[in-house]
Amino acid sequence: MEIEGKEIQSNFIHEIIDADLELNPGLKIHTRFPPEPNGYLHIGSAKAIRINTQVAKKYGGLFNLRYDDTNPVREDDEYVQSIYEDLKWLGCEPTGGVFYGSDYFDKCYEFAVKLIKEGKAYVDDLSAEEMKEYRGTLNTPGKPSPFRDRTVEENLDLFERMKNGEFADGSHTLRAKIDMASPNMNMRDPAIYRIVHTSHHRQGSKWCIYPLYDFAHPIQDALEGITHSLCSIEFENHRPLYEWVVDNVGFEVKPKQREFARLNVTHTVMSKRYLRQLVETGLVDGWDDPRMPTLCGLRRRGYTPSAIFDFVDRAGVAKVYSVVDIELLEHCIREELNLTAPRRIAVMKPIRLIVDNFPEDKVEYFDLPNNPQDPEAGTRALPFTRELFIDADDFAEVPPSKFFRLKPEGEVRLMGAYIVKCGKIEKDEDGNITEVHVTADIETGNGNPADGHKVKGTIHWLSARFAIPANVVLYDYLFTLENIDDMPEGKTYNDYLNPDSAIRLEGCMVEPSLGNAEAGERFQFVRNGYYVKDTKNTDTFNRIVGLKDSFPKK
């Protein structure tokens, strides 16, 4: 089946749904994306969004956005807004509606009371440390809390008083009464309600008790009519508890939880807690720092939704843990921009080039292609004058072996324009090169020499009179360690922060047309890489990715 012009590759999730539809042909497929609004979405979120939206599209179903705002401590409207903006940017606005977990607090409370009345939940006075001790280990069963056999009446009274704010945080917890000897630790009387005296971003001070995710989430799914609750693999051991809640609360139409491997990428982290730490300690320039794996960071870096989803699709959907090479992501955006990005010239480290035999007051124009991959993109005229800028790396007074750029007595072609031969070199009192003088082959123009000799090197250039100044930031990987999960014991993420992850170049020169570039507009800087005009600093261009592609082609 094709969606958005692309063939959708079947995966094990589709096979599960196909089997469900065989048993129930009238089933209306309904998925959801349930982010907690305690941070910004990252590229791992894009995988979950892609899976859920593609399933809904493939089967003609619906897709919900539901904010999992059941923990008021870290949640904020800033994150609520950013999540929706990211979904809009990805082209994944919810077709089934926007919901909040907090909208279901009354129903969750009602169902908790139902479980108490049926002897399936009790109020516990154990502290968090004591509860952990009573749970046992993977090799030893847990032991029942001394408060496990409270009467229904006592539990109802205590739970009501918890709701009314009579108790301090952590002093009481509502637990499901399941099986303290279960081999699955999640089934050993899990906590389903805790006391938190913190104002909620939507509910204000209405509640001081909040349902835990494992209790609230299956209830929310069932109430919204979600058919397939698709989540990452760390929730696989929680599935029995998900099903226990659905069964014991009493839903007749039951959602089905199924899990897939989360997206792990080299040279970065997906821990929202650590990403927040980077932001709060000022180690990065906010959640949208172009080095961050956040969607807003990738957007500011110049990545496109189509490249991100291409990356997710190529990484695949499976249940097995794996780490995807970030070079695949770079390959996806490079492949796209090679076809779509206009070509422009930028001189990163300018030195002056004086064309001695070109008139001082003359301006000549040479047509350069906007995109050699797209003939319909046309050309633009680049002004040529006696004084030019070239990149310092394109000149070597003492050239290494096989150096085909400009050198003493050497010839080189100025891209799309004249062939020039190096003459006099001028330096300042510190020995730094300030000007390189050349003589242009005016008769040849931008063609080949009449005598047929070959000029191997071609370098880019800009008119010193018409070029405009700009700053450029060369972004690289955030971490030097390839697989952050391989971090040695005793080390922290901070030990592997890349000191060269953002190199700012000031005093660069770019061609005149870039003065009208829009924020977020992408270009190929010829012979340099792909760049985007920054959305915060309008005099700055961010490197998206270099030209070199080492990732295997399709």
Side-chain angles (χ1 to χ4, degrees):
M1 178 181 180
E2 284 193 2
I3 298 178
E4 300 160 355
K6 289 185 66 176
E7 182 69 27
I8 300 302
Q9 299 297 317
S10 184
N11 56 57
F12 78 95
I13 291 174
H14 298 158
E15 292 168 1
I16 290 169
I17 295 173
D18 288 341
D20 291 340
L21 287 171
E22 280 190 24
L23 296 173
N24 184 1
L27 185 65
K28 181 75 170 177
I29 302 302
H30 203 152
T31 64
R32 86 292 168 270
F33 174 60
E36 185 176 359
N38 64 350
Y40 284 65
L41 300 184
H42 52 59
I43 195 166
S45 312
K47 178 176 181 177
I49 294 167
R50 182 66 164 177
I51 289 171
N52 280 284
T53 54
Q54 291 293 82
V55 163
K57 287 178 181 178
K58 179 174 181 176
Y59 295 98
L62 296 171
F63 163 69
N64 289 5
L65 167 64
R66 185 201 312 132
Y67 294 99
D68 172 30
D69 58 345
T70 56
N71 181 1
V73 176
R74 282 285 189 178
E75 294 161 2
D76 194 278
D77 278 329
E78 173 191 352
Y79 305 130
V80 170
Q81 298 303 320
S82 74
I83 289 168
Y84 195 76
E85 285 302 310
D86 284 342
L87 260 71
K88 282 174 58 180
W89 178 66
L90 291 173
C92 295
E93 291 182 78
T95 55
V98 178
F99 302 89
Y100 293 81
S102 55
D103 291 342
Y104 306 103
F105 281 170
D106 288 292
K107 295 298 293 183
C108 286
Y109 181 80
E110 175 187 321
F111 291 134
V113 169
K114 177 180 185 295
L115 292 178
I116 293 173
K117 289 180 177 179
E118 294 175 356
K120 297 175 181 176
Y122 62 96
V123 175
D124 197 0
D125 297 0
L126 293 179
S127 66
E129 294 76 15
E130 291 170 331
M131 198 179 298
K132 183 178 179 181
E133 180 184 342
Y134 272 66
R135 282 184 76 198
T137 68
L138 291 173
N139 299 317
T140 59
K143 57 183 180 180
S145 165
F147 307 100
R148 194 174 196 264
D149 293 326
R150 278 175 163 156
T151 65
V152 168
E153 291 71 25
E154 187 178 5
N155 283 318
L156 288 172
D157 175 64
L158 287 169
F159 191 51
E160 174 75 15
R161 293 169 64 190
M162 286 171 60
K163 179 177 75 73
N164 293 339
E166 295 185 27
F167 303 121
D169 291 4
S171 60
H172 296 75
T173 306
L174 184 68
R175 298 177 67 178
K177 187 185 289 188
I178 305 178
D179 181 5
M180 289 303 294
S182 172
N184 186 333
M185 300 283 283
N186 296 301
M187 301 297 283
R188 294 182 184 177
D189 289 12
I192 58 176
Y193 259 94
R194 79 285 205 203
I195 303 171
V196 183
H197 287 276
T198 299
S199 180
H200 189 275
H201 75 107
R202 279 172 61 83
Q203 301 285 341
S205 57
K206 177 181 177 180
W207 296 92
C208 63
I209 57 170
Y210 294 91
L212 277 84
Y213 179 86
D214 280 342
F215 179 65
H217 192 71
I219 291 173
Q220 296 160 3
D221 283 346
L223 290 173
E224 287 178 18
I226 302 302
T227 58
H228 293 82
S229 183
L230 306 173
C231 55
S232 50
I233 200 70
E234 61 263 34
F235 290 99
E236 186 172 35
N237 287 336
H238 296 246
R239 192 200 299 176
L241 178 54
Y242 182 101
E243 293 170 348
W244 184 93
V245 172
V246 170
D247 290 340
N248 285 276
V249 164
F251 288 109
E252 291 185 13
V253 180
K254 300 175 182 180
K256 175 182 287 190
Q257 176 181 304
R258 291 297 181 266
E259 310 82 17
F260 55 85
R262 63 186 299 174
L263 181 62
N264 300 290
V265 182
T266 59
H267 294 289
T268 192
V269 295
M270 300 297 176
S271 165
K272 204 183 291 184
R273 180 181 301 174
Y274 180 68
L275 295 176
R276 185 189 299 111
Q277 182 183 326
L278 286 173
V279 173
E280 293 176 349
T281 56
L283 290 170
V284 295
D285 179 28
W287 286 95
D288 66 347
D289 186 298
R291 295 165 293 178
M292 294 276 273
T294 52
L295 294 180
C296 58
L298 290 166
R299 180 160 67 247
R300 186 176 167 199
R301 178 76 172 261
Y303 278 84
T304 63
S306 51
I308 290 171
F309 282 150
D310 187 20
F311 167 69
V312 169
D313 291 344
R314 295 191 197 199
V317 179
K319 297 197 71 165
V320 180
Y321 170 86
S322 64
V323 180
V324 184
D325 197 326
I326 197 169
E327 287 189 2
L328 175 58
L329 176 61
E330 294 172 341
H331 171 74
C332 292
I333 187 65
R334 188 182 288 112
E335 191 173 66
E336 177 179 324
L337 294 181
N338 181 48
L339 298 175
T340 61
R343 273 49 170 176
R344 296 293 182 264
I345 290 178
V347 177
M348 302 298 186
K349 295 181 284 184
I351 59 171
R352 285 187 182 269
L353 188 80
I354 311 299
V355 186
D356 289 332
N357 62 332
F358 195 86
E360 251 185 85
D361 57 350
K362 182 179 179 180
V363 180
E364 188 174 359
Y365 289 87
F366 290 96
D367 288 333
L368 273 69
N370 286 322
N371 189 338
Q373 304 293 325
D374 179 13
E376 294 185 5
T379 62
R380 84 269 188 207
L382 205 64
F384 186 97
T385 53
R386 184 173 186 269
E387 291 193 17
L388 307 173
F389 287 122
I390 64 169
D391 199 292
D393 290 340
D394 281 335
F395 175 77
E397 189 174 13
V398 183
S401 175
K402 296 183 179 179
F403 185 82
F404 298 120
R405 287 162 281 171
L406 192 60
K407 55 190 174 183
E409 298 302 315
E411 280 188 315
V412 72
R413 181 183 293 279
L414 299 179
M415 182 179 293
Y418 295 112
I419 294 169
V420 296
K421 184 173 183 179
C422 185
K424 184 175 64 172
I425 301 166
E426 295 189 17
K427 301 180 181 180
D428 62 21
E429 57 187 20
D430 295 324
N432 300 311
I433 295 172
T434 56
E435 291 182 357
V436 177
H437 289 256
V438 296
T439 302
D441 183 352
I442 301 295
E443 289 186 8
T444 300
N446 61 356
N448 293 317
D451 62 6
H453 76 274
K454 301 294 184 183
V455 177
K456 292 185 177 180
T458 299
I459 63 174
H460 58 284
W461 53 274
L462 288 172
S463 163
R465 190 190 310 177
F466 293 98
I468 58 176
N471 299 318
V472 170
V473 183
L474 305 178
Y475 286 108
D476 204 344
Y477 302 144
L478 187 56
F479 293 97
T480 57
L481 187 63
E482 181 174 316
N483 184 357
I484 209 70
D485 289 339
D486 291 339
M487 187 165 54
E489 189 175 348
K491 295 288 187 178
T492 68
Y493 291 135
N494 287 14
D495 292 318
Y496 296 98
L497 281 171
N498 182 4
D500 297 322
S501 60
I503 297 175
R504 185 173 179 84
L505 304 179
E506 298 183 345
C508 304
M509 291 292 171
V510 298
E511 68 173 78
S513 64
L514 289 172
N516 299 319
E518 298 287 337
E521 196 172 355
R522 304 169 187 87
F523 304 93
Q524 184 195 101
F525 286 176
V526 177
R527 300 179 65 227
N528 274 299
Y530 295 97
Y531 290 77
V532 63
K533 190 167 187 182
D534 192 47
T535 52
K536 283 188 173 180
N537 306 303
T538 55
D539 62 346
T540 299
F541 290 87
N542 300 328
R543 182 170 67 184
I544 306 169
V545 67
L547 291 176
K548 184 179 179 182
D549 191 349
S550 59
F551 202 83
K553 299 295 187 291
K554 291 189 293 184

